[in-house]
Amino acid sequence: MTRLFVLLCAALAVVLAGCATPEGPATRLDKANILPLEIDDDYQFRKILTSVFDPDLKEQRVSSAKTGGVIDFERARRTWGAVGSLEVSKRHGSYFTFFWRTSRDSDVTLRLEYRQAGLGNYVMAQERYFPAARGSHRSTFQVTGDEFLENGLVSAWRALLIVDGRVVALRQSAMWR
């Protein structure tokens, strides 16, 4: 009984490990082109998580005491493996995690468009491409390093799911206009 249970757990671990391949870096766009909007119920954003890792923000330190260490954990997770203060400073920035899904097979591009405090209304963009996507997906973007140190915090953002050159799902921050 226990041997069978161990074999089943090992098989499950192998299957799940194959699903957890790390994403490569997102493609940065020089200019985000404007696309037609055709919302489709087969594509949807399920959940969006955003976080900022910047030790200069006083709000993080104050809310850290209220949340029982959650923010301290996030800070420790972001700096895991960094050797020295230079590597830690390269990890300062804004992080975005998008949980999205599609109910039909299609080539999907997930685009993050954002504005940073130091750039005013100039829109920056990053993309990830998913060929023959179907089901639930988790995708991450980050604005870190020199881009964050020179241009500041992300002040507004929007996420687009693009299929065949049209926007089929859209979510945006309250500050996006």
Side-chain angles (χ1 to χ4, degrees):
M1 175 71 177
T2 59
R3 185 177 181 140
L4 179 63
F5 180 72
V6 169
L7 287 174
L8 287 175
C9 288
L12 181 63
V14 169
V15 169
L16 292 178
C19 297
T21 57
E23 293 180 319
T27 304
R28 297 201 187 283
L29 302 179
D30 293 330
K31 182 174 177 160
N33 54 343
I34 298 172
L35 300 170
L37 184 65
E38 295 180 23
I39 300 298
D40 188 345
D41 289 337
D42 289 338
Y43 305 90
Q44 55 186 273
F45 285 100
R46 306 295 284 174
K47 181 167 54 169
I48 297 174
L49 303 174
T50 62
S51 65
V52 175
F53 174 46
D54 187 1
D56 296 333
L57 289 178
K58 291 177 177 55
E59 293 84 19
Q60 277 189 336
R61 292 190 192 120
V62 172
S63 62
S64 177
K66 294 177 185 174
T67 58
V70 173
I71 294 176
D72 293 332
F73 173 77
E74 183 71 15
R75 186 175 294 127
R77 186 174 76 86
R78 295 287 180 211
T79 59
W80 177 259
V83 179
S85 61
L86 180 60
E87 285 187 28
V88 171
S89 69
K90 287 183 180 179
R91 296 182 185 186
H92 293 174
S94 300
Y95 293 85
F96 301 87
T97 303
F98 299 101
F99 295 88
W100 56 277
R101 62 183 270 180
T102 173
S103 55
R104 66 171 100 137
D105 291 333
S106 52
D107 298 337
V108 177
T109 301
L110 173 60
R111 178 187 294 173
L112 171 67
E113 297 178 354
Y114 57 95
R115 294 187 177 100
Q116 288 180 270
L119 296 177
N121 284 330
Y122 184 75
V123 176
M124 306 279 283
Q126 297 180 26
E127 283 186 348
R128 290 194 186 280
Y129 178 68
F130 301 89
R134 184 184 185 114
S136 297
H137 298 271
R138 176 183 173 265
S139 303
T140 59
F141 291 91
Q142 59 189 33
V143 180
T144 58
D146 292 337
E147 184 179 7
F148 176 74
L149 295 173
E150 293 172 10
N151 302 325
L153 288 169
V154 172
S155 56
W157 58 267
R158 77 174 176 173
L160 311 167
L161 288 177
I162 303 167
V163 176
D164 297 329
R166 25 182 201 97
V167 177
V168 294
L170 167 74
R171 289 285 293 270
Q172 62 191 29
S173 67
M175 296 299 292
W176 187 266
R177 54 180 168 82

